Amino acid sequence: MNRYTRLYYYSLLGAIGGLIGWQASNLLGLSFVQNLYLSEVIVGALIGLCIGALIGLSEGLAARSPLYGLRAGLISGLLGALGGAVGLPLAEYAFQSLGGEAWTRALGWAIFGAFIGAGLGFSSGSQLWKPVLGGLLGGAVGGFLLEFARQRFADPLMGKAAGLGLLGAAVGAFIALIVLLLSKAWLEVVTGKMKGTEFVLDKFIHANGPSAYIGSDALKADIVLPDPDIAPQHALLKGADTHMTLKDMSSQGTFINNRRIEVANLKDEQAIRIGNTQMVYHEKR
């Protein structure tokens, strides 16, 4: 999927994650917990796990790789659980300490969203601070929407359901939106099974940053292309601050503008062919 489609899926799956978290917390029940803040830790972790995991699975849809999606879902789900365990009791503490105003709970939900963004930053190609910022903003906006829904619905359970759905959608939408607006470099697949898919490369731009492997194995590659003519680790992307380099690591070859290369500096709008998959490199400096 491209970056615009990712905005839709992050929002949709975030909303579904919120509804799953709502239903799971209702089924679990917390009558065995006497301490209010401990209850908030448990409920927050459960909601964060559901929203984070579902948004993380969007990365698997983007890469069309169930294994990659499970990995991303696990990372963002665990960090989402941590964010919920911290954010929800903090939201309740702020609510109690700052005069009982509903807007104060948004502070805790902002931290909750930031943790989910961090999980997606680890599993995606975006620089960590961008999804964290998106999650922070989405959590704050979603927190306002959650409190609004609670007040508007006569049935508390329905208000909570609508509010958590809106919270999940807001966190997912803002993460995708900030990454979309601030992306500096990305690969667009223009042929093959994954036509239209875009891979953000921002966290690989800097010379002291990580490298990105392009290949067909979800366990060995950062950019996964399900093409039988692509090696498990076919090529290596490396940042150098002012440009990115592409290095061939295969026997089949890597081509830029139809010329086979060993190592080459990438420029905006260059065509890259690996196996039977062709991509275009985009950058904004």
Side-chain angles (χ1 to χ4, degrees):
M1 69 178 76
N2 61 33
R3 293 170 301 149
Y4 296 95
T5 308
R6 185 176 276 109
L7 177 62
Y8 168 75
Y9 277 106
Y10 271 33
S11 304
L12 176 63
L13 291 179
I16 293 173
L19 292 174
I20 293 174
W22 161 74
Q23 189 61 31
S25 63
N26 289 339
L27 291 174
L28 174 64
L30 295 170
S31 58
F32 60 90
V33 178
Q34 298 300 318
N35 184 281
L36 170 64
Y37 291 107
L38 181 58
S39 298
E40 299 290 348
V41 167
I42 296 172
V43 173
L46 183 61
I47 294 171
L49 175 66
C50 294
I51 293 178
L54 265 290
I55 295 177
L57 287 175
S58 300
E59 288 299 310
L61 292 175
R64 301 186 188 180
S65 169
L67 186 59
Y68 187 77
L70 287 174
R71 185 179 71 177
L74 178 63
I75 294 173
S76 58
L78 290 176
L79 281 176
L82 179 60
V86 173
L88 188 53
L90 183 61
E92 189 60 36
Y93 177 77
F95 178 75
Q96 299 290 341
S97 302
L98 300 177
E101 295 291 335
W103 65 268
T104 58
R105 285 196 171 110
L107 299 174
W109 289 116
I111 293 175
F112 161 85
F115 272 89
I116 293 178
L120 289 167
F122 281 117
S123 56
S124 72
S126 179
Q127 290 170 305
L128 184 62
W129 68 270
K130 295 174 184 176
V132 167
L133 175 61
L136 189 74
L137 294 174
V141 172
F144 279 113
L145 294 175
L146 172 59
E147 295 306 318
F148 178 78
R150 281 176 169 172
Q151 294 173 6
R152 296 293 295 178
F153 282 80
D155 185 345
L157 284 178
M158 292 305 298
K160 181 181 177 183
L164 287 176
L166 289 169
L167 172 67
V171 170
F174 273 85
I175 290 173
L177 183 62
I178 293 298
V179 171
L180 170 66
L181 294 176
L182 300 182
S183 293
K184 291 185 176 181
W186 64 96
L187 285 174
E188 177 190 5
V189 181
V190 295
T191 64
K193 296 179 180 179
M194 297 185 65
K195 182 179 180 180
T197 301
E198 294 179 351
F199 296 96
V200 178
L201 305 175
D202 289 11
K203 75 177 180 181
F204 308 112
I205 289 175
H206 297 295
N208 59 350
S211 301
Y213 288 97
I214 303 174
S216 57
D217 191 325
L219 294 177
K220 296 180 179 180
D222 302 285
I223 297 171
V224 183
L225 301 171
D227 182 334
D229 293 316
I230 293 178
Q233 286 185 326
H234 195 107
L236 180 68
L237 274 168
K238 179 66 178 175
D241 292 327
T242 57
H243 62 276
M244 296 192 75
T245 63
L246 181 65
K247 178 182 179 180
D248 181 47
M249 300 177 61
S250 71
S251 59
Q252 300 96 320
T254 298
F255 301 82
I256 294 181
N257 293 340
N258 293 321
R259 296 182 62 182
R260 185 166 182 167
I261 59 100
E262 292 185 4
V263 180
N265 295 342
L266 290 177
K267 298 179 181 179
D268 187 35
E269 301 298 325
Q270 281 186 323
I272 301 169
R273 179 165 58 85
I274 297 177
N276 291 314
T277 301
Q278 184 161 317
M279 298 173 285
V280 175
Y281 173 73
H282 301 276
E283 69 175 22
K284 295 187 297 184
R285 297 285 184 175

